[in-house]
PDB file of all heavy atoms in Angstrom:
ATOM      1  N   TYR A1305     114.194 108.087 107.134  1.00 96.00           N
ATOM      2  CA  TYR A1305     113.762 109.190 106.280  1.00 96.00           C
ATOM      3  C   TYR A1305     113.138 108.739 104.980  1.00 96.00           C
ATOM      4  O   TYR A1305     112.562 109.518 104.244  1.00 96.00           O
ATOM      5  CB  TYR A1305     114.943 110.191 105.990  1.00 96.00           C
ATOM      6  CG  TYR A1305     116.149 109.583 105.340  1.00 96.00           C
ATOM      7  CD1 TYR A1305     116.146 109.279 103.982  1.00 96.00           C
ATOM      8  CD2 TYR A1305     117.297 109.301 106.065  1.00 96.00           C
ATOM      9  CE1 TYR A1305     117.234 108.741 103.380  1.00 96.00           C
ATOM     10  CE2 TYR A1305     118.406 108.764 105.463  1.00 96.00           C
ATOM     11  CZ  TYR A1305     118.363 108.487 104.150  1.00 96.00           C
ATOM     12  OH  TYR A1305     119.466 107.997 103.502  1.00 96.00           O
ATOM     13  N   GLU A1307     110.988 106.006 105.208  1.00 97.00           N
ATOM     14  CA  GLU A1307     109.692 105.494 105.638  1.00 97.00           C
ATOM     15  C   GLU A1307     108.870 106.540 106.418  1.00 97.00           C
ATOM     16  O   GLU A1307     107.665 106.357 106.615  1.00 97.00           O
ATOM     17  CB  GLU A1307     109.932 104.268 106.571  1.00 97.00           C
ATOM     18  CG  GLU A1307     110.620 103.180 105.771  1.00 97.00           C
ATOM     19  CD  GLU A1307     110.915 101.924 106.523  1.00 97.00           C
ATOM     20  OE1 GLU A1307     110.529 101.807 107.708  1.00 97.00           O
ATOM     21  OE2 GLU A1307     111.592 101.035 105.924  1.00 97.00           O
ATOM     22  N   VAL A1329     108.479 129.953 117.479  1.00 98.00           N
ATOM     23  CA  VAL A1329     108.899 128.623 117.891  1.00 98.00           C
ATOM     24  C   VAL A1329     108.032 128.082 119.036  1.00 98.00           C
ATOM     25  O   VAL A1329     107.657 126.900 119.005  1.00 98.00           O
ATOM     26  CB  VAL A1329     110.403 128.648 118.333  1.00 98.00           C
ATOM     27  CG1 VAL A1329     110.828 127.281 118.875  1.00 98.00           C
ATOM     28  CG2 VAL A1329     111.277 129.039 117.133  1.00 98.00           C
ATOM     29  N   GLY A1343     100.223 112.011 112.809  1.00 98.00           N
ATOM     30  CA  GLY A1343     101.036 110.855 112.553  1.00 98.00           C
ATOM     31  C   GLY A1343     102.306 111.118 111.768  1.00 98.00           C
ATOM     32  O   GLY A1343     102.905 110.228 111.201  1.00 98.00           O
ATOM     33  N   VAL A1349     111.153 122.854 109.298  1.00 98.00           N
ATOM     34  CA  VAL A1349     110.774 124.232 109.600  1.00 98.00           C
ATOM     35  C   VAL A1349     111.523 125.186 108.669  1.00 98.00           C
ATOM     36  O   VAL A1349     112.737 125.190 108.605  1.00 98.00           O
ATOM     37  CB  VAL A1349     111.122 124.543 111.105  1.00 98.00           C
ATOM     38  CG1 VAL A1349     110.733 125.958 111.408  1.00 98.00           C
ATOM     39  CG2 VAL A1349     110.399 123.606 112.000  1.00 98.00           C
ATOM     40  N   PRO A1356     117.040 140.126 108.170  1.00 98.00           N
ATOM     41  CA  PRO A1356     116.275 141.373 107.944  1.00 98.00           C
ATOM     42  C   PRO A1356     114.941 141.105 107.312  1.00 98.00           C
ATOM     43  O   PRO A1356     114.116 142.028 107.098  1.00 98.00           O
ATOM     44  CB  PRO A1356     117.161 142.187 107.008  1.00 98.00           C
ATOM     45  CG  PRO A1356     118.333 141.368 106.682  1.00 98.00           C
ATOM     46  CD  PRO A1356     118.215 140.034 107.259  1.00 98.00           C
ATOM     47  N   ASP A1366     122.626 135.944 110.381  1.00 98.00           N
ATOM     48  CA  ASP A1366     123.382 135.229 111.382  1.00 98.00           C
ATOM     49  C   ASP A1366     122.850 133.801 111.504  1.00 98.00           C
ATOM     50  O   ASP A1366     121.758 133.593 111.912  1.00 98.00           O
ATOM     51  CB  ASP A1366     123.347 135.942 112.747  1.00 98.00           C
ATOM     52  CG  ASP A1366     124.184 135.249 113.798  1.00 98.00           C
ATOM     53  OD1 ASP A1366     124.799 134.209 113.475  1.00 98.00           O
ATOM     54  OD2 ASP A1366     124.295 135.759 114.935  1.00 98.00           O
ATOM     55  N   GLY A1375     111.686 133.840 118.471  1.00 98.00           N
ATOM     56  CA  GLY A1375     112.059 133.361 119.770  1.00 98.00           C
ATOM     57  C   GLY A1375     113.576 133.385 119.982  1.00 98.00           C
ATOM     58  O   GLY A1375     114.262 134.248 119.429  1.00 98.00           O
ATOM     59  N   ASP A1391     109.082 111.652 119.616  1.00 98.00           N
ATOM     60  CA  ASP A1391     109.559 110.782 118.523  1.00 98.00           C
ATOM     61  C   ASP A1391     109.391 111.403 117.122  1.00 98.00           C
ATOM     62  O   ASP A1391     109.104 110.731 116.156  1.00 98.00           O
ATOM     63  CB  ASP A1391     108.865 109.417 118.581  1.00 98.00           C
ATOM     64  CG  ASP A1391     109.729 108.320 118.056  1.00 98.00           C
ATOM     65  OD1 ASP A1391     110.911 108.555 117.920  1.00 98.00           O
ATOM     66  OD2 ASP A1391     109.177 107.232 117.761  1.00 98.00           O
ATOM     67  N   ARG A1412     132.186 142.620 105.204  1.00 98.00           N
ATOM     68  CA  ARG A1412     133.651 142.598 105.117  1.00 98.00           C
ATOM     69  C   ARG A1412     134.141 142.369 103.715  1.00 98.00           C
ATOM     70  O   ARG A1412     135.207 142.845 103.335  1.00 98.00           O
ATOM     71  CB  ARG A1412     134.168 141.500 106.102  1.00 98.00           C
ATOM     72  CG  ARG A1412     133.816 141.834 107.511  1.00 98.00           C
ATOM     73  CD  ARG A1412     134.186 140.788 108.475  1.00 98.00           C
ATOM     74  NE  ARG A1412     135.614 140.826 108.837  1.00 98.00           N
ATOM     75  CZ  ARG A1412     136.087 140.235 109.926  1.00 98.00           C
ATOM     76  NH1 ARG A1412     135.278 139.545 110.715  1.00 98.00           N
ATOM     77  NH2 ARG A1412     137.368 140.291 110.201  1.00 98.00           N
ATOM     78  N   PHE A1436     115.898 134.738  89.724  1.00 94.00           N
ATOM     79  CA  PHE A1436     114.628 134.041  89.952  1.00 94.00           C
ATOM     80  C   PHE A1436     113.476 134.945  90.336  1.00 94.00           C
ATOM     81  O   PHE A1436     112.326 134.474  90.355  1.00 94.00           O
ATOM     82  CB  PHE A1436     114.844 132.972  91.042  1.00 94.00           C
ATOM     83  CG  PHE A1436     115.614 131.801  90.536  1.00 94.00           C
ATOM     84  CD1 PHE A1436     117.011 131.821  90.445  1.00 94.00           C
ATOM     85  CD2 PHE A1436     114.986 130.667  90.066  1.00 94.00           C
ATOM     86  CE1 PHE A1436     117.747 130.765  90.008  1.00 94.00           C
ATOM     87  CE2 PHE A1436     115.677 129.564  89.613  1.00 94.00           C
ATOM     88  CZ  PHE A1436     117.114 129.631  89.563  1.00 94.00           C
ATOM     89  N   PHE A1456     118.812 135.879  93.512  1.00 97.00           N
ATOM     90  CA  PHE A1456     117.488 136.255  94.080  1.00 97.00           C
ATOM     91  C   PHE A1456     117.572 137.769  94.349  1.00 97.00           C
ATOM     92  O   PHE A1456     118.196 138.477  93.525  1.00 97.00           O
ATOM     93  CB  PHE A1456     117.179 135.401  95.329  1.00 97.00           C
ATOM     94  CG  PHE A1456     117.049 133.956  94.937  1.00 97.00           C
ATOM     95  CD1 PHE A1456     118.119 133.055  94.922  1.00 97.00           C
ATOM     96  CD2 PHE A1456     115.822 133.473  94.511  1.00 97.00           C
ATOM     97  CE1 PHE A1456     118.005 131.752  94.525  1.00 97.00           C
ATOM     98  CE2 PHE A1456     115.648 132.114  94.120  1.00 97.00           C
ATOM     99  CZ  PHE A1456     116.762 131.295  94.132  1.00 97.00           C
ATOM    100  N   GLY A1488     118.537 116.836 110.252  1.00 98.00           N
ATOM    101  CA  GLY A1488     118.777 116.913 108.793  1.00 98.00           C
ATOM    102  C   GLY A1488     118.571 118.323 108.284  1.00 98.00           C
ATOM    103  O   GLY A1488     118.219 119.232 109.042  1.00 98.00           O
ATOM    104  N   TYR A1518     125.025 128.781  85.831  1.00 98.00           N
ATOM    105  CA  TYR A1518     124.823 128.684  87.277  1.00 98.00           C
ATOM    106  C   TYR A1518     123.914 127.545  87.765  1.00 98.00           C
ATOM    107  O   TYR A1518     123.723 127.341  88.941  1.00 98.00           O
ATOM    108  CB  TYR A1518     124.389 130.032  87.888  1.00 98.00           C
ATOM    109  CG  TYR A1518     123.081 130.650  87.412  1.00 98.00           C
ATOM    110  CD1 TYR A1518     121.869 130.082  87.700  1.00 98.00           C
ATOM    111  CD2 TYR A1518     123.101 131.863  86.700  1.00 98.00           C
ATOM    112  CE1 TYR A1518     120.677 130.698  87.278  1.00 98.00           C
ATOM    113  CE2 TYR A1518     121.939 132.467  86.300  1.00 98.00           C
ATOM    114  CZ  TYR A1518     120.730 131.855  86.557  1.00 98.00           C
ATOM    115  OH  TYR A1518     119.549 132.447  86.183  1.00 98.00           O
ATOM    116  N   ASN A1532     129.624 115.726 102.531  1.00 98.00           N
ATOM    117  CA  ASN A1532     129.335 114.413 103.066  1.00 98.00           C
ATOM    118  C   ASN A1532     130.500 113.861 103.854  1.00 98.00           C
ATOM    119  O   ASN A1532     130.344 113.343 104.964  1.00 98.00           O
ATOM    120  CB  ASN A1532     129.005 113.459 101.902  1.00 98.00           C
ATOM    121  CG  ASN A1532     127.520 113.287 101.738  1.00 98.00           C
ATOM    122  OD1 ASN A1532     126.906 112.541 102.519  1.00 98.00           O
ATOM    123  ND2 ASN A1532     126.930 114.024 100.816  1.00 98.00           N
ATOM    124  N   ASP A1534     133.035 115.324 105.130  1.00 98.00           N
ATOM    125  CA  ASP A1534     133.461 116.079 106.301  1.00 98.00           C
ATOM    126  C   ASP A1534     132.369 116.244 107.387  1.00 98.00           C
ATOM    127  O   ASP A1534     132.667 116.386 108.546  1.00 98.00           O
ATOM    128  CB  ASP A1534     133.966 117.504 105.924  1.00 98.00           C
ATOM    129  CG  ASP A1534     135.188 117.407 105.082  1.00 98.00           C
ATOM    130  OD1 ASP A1534     135.780 116.309 104.940  1.00 98.00           O
ATOM    131  OD2 ASP A1534     135.633 118.413 104.489  1.00 98.00           O
ATOM    132  N   SER A1537     128.285 112.460 106.848  1.00 96.00           N
ATOM    133  CA  SER A1537     128.538 111.041 107.150  1.00 96.00           C
ATOM    134  C   SER A1537     128.814 110.792 108.631  1.00 96.00           C
ATOM    135  O   SER A1537     128.767 109.698 109.106  1.00 96.00           O
ATOM    136  CB  SER A1537     129.696 110.527 106.311  1.00 96.00           C
ATOM    137  OG  SER A1537     130.832 111.267 106.653  1.00 96.00           O
ATOM    138  N   ILE A1550     115.768 120.776  87.092  1.00 96.00           N
ATOM    139  CA  ILE A1550     116.665 119.623  87.133  1.00 96.00           C
ATOM    140  C   ILE A1550     116.047 118.458  86.318  1.00 96.00           C
ATOM    141  O   ILE A1550     114.856 118.314  86.296  1.00 96.00           O
ATOM    142  CB  ILE A1550     116.926 119.216  88.572  1.00 96.00           C
ATOM    143  CG1 ILE A1550     118.104 118.204  88.566  1.00 96.00           C
ATOM    144  CG2 ILE A1550     115.687 118.626  89.243  1.00 96.00           C
ATOM    145  CD1 ILE A1550     118.724 118.087  89.921  1.00 96.00           C
ATOM    146  N   ILE A1569     115.715 114.720  96.598  1.00 97.00           N
ATOM    147  CA  ILE A1569     115.614 116.116  96.098  1.00 97.00           C
ATOM    148  C   ILE A1569     114.129 116.467  95.838  1.00 97.00           C
ATOM    149  O   ILE A1569     113.316 115.595  95.671  1.00 97.00           O
ATOM    150  CB  ILE A1569     116.396 116.257  94.785  1.00 97.00           C
ATOM    151  CG1 ILE A1569     115.901 115.322  93.725  1.00 97.00           C
ATOM    152  CG2 ILE A1569     117.860 116.159  94.984  1.00 97.00           C
ATOM    153  CD1 ILE A1569     116.005 115.866  92.313  1.00 97.00           C
ATOM    154  N   ARG A1626      94.905 124.562  91.970  1.00 97.00           N
ATOM    155  CA  ARG A1626      95.651 124.339  90.720  1.00 97.00           C
ATOM    156  C   ARG A1626      95.174 123.091  90.000  1.00 97.00           C
ATOM    157  O   ARG A1626      94.984 123.094  88.790  1.00 97.00           O
ATOM    158  CB  ARG A1626      97.124 124.178  91.021  1.00 97.00           C
ATOM    159  CG  ARG A1626      97.744 125.417  91.516  1.00 97.00           C
ATOM    160  CD  ARG A1626      99.195 125.210  91.889  1.00 97.00           C
ATOM    161  NE  ARG A1626     100.070 125.344  90.726  1.00 97.00           N
ATOM    162  CZ  ARG A1626     101.389 125.209  90.814  1.00 97.00           C
ATOM    163  NH1 ARG A1626     101.958 125.023  92.005  1.00 97.00           N
ATOM    164  NH2 ARG A1626     102.176 125.345  89.749  1.00 97.00           N
ATOM    165  N   TYR A1632      84.231 120.677  94.103  1.00 98.00           N
ATOM    166  CA  TYR A1632      84.433 119.382  94.667  1.00 98.00           C
ATOM    167  C   TYR A1632      85.588 119.429  95.626  1.00 98.00           C
ATOM    168  O   TYR A1632      86.558 118.708  95.455  1.00 98.00           O
ATOM    169  CB  TYR A1632      84.611 118.315  93.591  1.00 98.00           C
ATOM    170  CG  TYR A1632      83.393 118.044  92.770  1.00 98.00           C
ATOM    171  CD1 TYR A1632      83.238 118.684  91.519  1.00 98.00           C
ATOM    172  CD2 TYR A1632      82.346 117.278  93.262  1.00 98.00           C
ATOM    173  CE1 TYR A1632      82.080 118.491  90.789  1.00 98.00           C
ATOM    174  CE2 TYR A1632      81.185 117.084  92.519  1.00 98.00           C
ATOM    175  CZ  TYR A1632      81.067 117.676  91.264  1.00 98.00           C
ATOM    176  OH  TYR A1632      79.924 117.485  90.546  1.00 98.00           O
ATOM    177  N   ARG A1685     103.960 145.446  84.683  1.00 95.00           N
ATOM    178  CA  ARG A1685     103.463 146.780  84.332  1.00 95.00           C
ATOM    179  C   ARG A1685     104.416 147.497  83.431  1.00 95.00           C
ATOM    180  O   ARG A1685     104.020 148.200  82.514  1.00 95.00           O
ATOM    181  CB  ARG A1685     103.188 147.612  85.567  1.00 95.00           C
ATOM    182  CG  ARG A1685     102.132 147.012  86.496  1.00 95.00           C
ATOM    183  CD  ARG A1685     100.731 147.104  85.969  1.00 95.00           C
ATOM    184  NE  ARG A1685     100.225 148.446  86.172  1.00 95.00           N
ATOM    185  CZ  ARG A1685      99.311 149.013  85.399  1.00 95.00           C
ATOM    186  NH1 ARG A1685      98.845 148.363  84.356  1.00 95.00           N
ATOM    187  NH2 ARG A1685      98.884 150.238  85.631  1.00 95.00           N
ATOM    188  N   LYS A1697      97.172 137.045  87.411  1.00 97.00           N
ATOM    189  CA  LYS A1697      98.324 136.154  87.612  1.00 97.00           C
ATOM    190  C   LYS A1697      98.635 136.002  89.117  1.00 97.00           C
ATOM    191  O   LYS A1697      98.887 134.926  89.595  1.00 97.00           O
ATOM    192  CB  LYS A1697      99.596 136.736  86.930  1.00 97.00           C
ATOM    193  CG  LYS A1697      99.556 136.658  85.375  1.00 97.00           C
ATOM    194  CD  LYS A1697     100.888 137.234  84.844  1.00 97.00           C
ATOM    195  CE  LYS A1697     100.907 137.475  83.403  1.00 97.00           C
ATOM    196  NZ  LYS A1697     100.926 136.251  82.569  1.00 97.00           N
ATOM    197  N   GLY A1723      96.725 138.738 118.162  1.00 98.00           N
ATOM    198  CA  GLY A1723      97.043 140.063 117.640  1.00 98.00           C
ATOM    199  C   GLY A1723      96.683 140.179 116.195  1.00 98.00           C
ATOM    200  O   GLY A1723      96.013 139.352 115.632  1.00 98.00           O
ATOM    201  N   LYS A1760     102.337 103.270 106.868  1.00 96.00           N
ATOM    202  CA  LYS A1760     103.083 102.569 107.960  1.00 96.00           C
ATOM    203  C   LYS A1760     102.810 101.073 107.917  1.00 96.00           C
ATOM    204  O   LYS A1760     103.566 100.241 108.404  1.00 96.00           O
ATOM    205  CB  LYS A1760     102.710 103.135 109.293  1.00 96.00           C
ATOM    206  CG  LYS A1760     102.865 104.633 109.406  1.00 96.00           C
ATOM    207  CD  LYS A1760     103.893 105.033 110.465  1.00 96.00           C
ATOM    208  CE  LYS A1760     104.611 106.304 110.019  1.00 96.00           C
ATOM    209  NZ  LYS A1760     103.959 107.514 110.359  1.00 96.00           N
ATOM    210  N   TYR A1767     108.294 101.062  99.351  1.00 96.00           N
ATOM    211  CA  TYR A1767     109.377 100.597  98.515  1.00 96.00           C
ATOM    212  C   TYR A1767     108.929  99.898  97.207  1.00 96.00           C
ATOM    213  O   TYR A1767     109.757  99.602  96.338  1.00 96.00           O
ATOM    214  CB  TYR A1767     110.219  99.544  99.320  1.00 96.00           C
ATOM    215  CG  TYR A1767     110.941 100.176 100.500  1.00 96.00           C
ATOM    216  CD1 TYR A1767     110.547  99.904 101.809  1.00 96.00           C
ATOM    217  CD2 TYR A1767     111.977 101.081 100.301  1.00 96.00           C
ATOM    218  CE1 TYR A1767     111.193 100.425 102.894  1.00 96.00           C
ATOM    219  CE2 TYR A1767     112.644 101.631 101.401  1.00 96.00           C
ATOM    220  CZ  TYR A1767     112.247 101.291 102.661  1.00 96.00           C
ATOM    221  OH  TYR A1767     112.892 101.871 103.715  1.00 96.00           O
ATOM    222  N   LYS A1809      87.275  94.125  87.126  1.00 92.00           N
ATOM    223  CA  LYS A1809      88.466  93.303  87.123  1.00 92.00           C
ATOM    224  C   LYS A1809      89.166  93.283  88.457  1.00 92.00           C
ATOM    225  O   LYS A1809      90.028  92.398  88.676  1.00 92.00           O
ATOM    226  CB  LYS A1809      89.421  93.733  86.005  1.00 92.00           C
ATOM    227  CG  LYS A1809      89.771  95.199  86.015  1.00 92.00           C
ATOM    228  CD  LYS A1809      90.713  95.512  84.818  1.00 92.00           C
ATOM    229  CE  LYS A1809      90.889  96.992  84.709  1.00 92.00           C
ATOM    230  NZ  LYS A1809      90.294  97.673  83.580  1.00 92.00           N
TER     231      LYS A1809
END
Side-chain angles (χ1 to χ4, degrees):
Y1305 59 77
E1307 299 179 5
V1329 175
V1349 179
D1366 183 356
D1391 210 13
R1412 295 175 82 161
F1436 288 81
F1456 295 89
Y1518 61 68
N1532 261 282
D1534 295 351
S1537 61
I1550 192 161
I1569 59 149
R1626 293 176 85 175
Y1632 291 100
R1685 298 290 280 152
K1697 286 183 193 286
K1760 305 243 147 85
Y1767 296 110
K1809 53 182 171 250

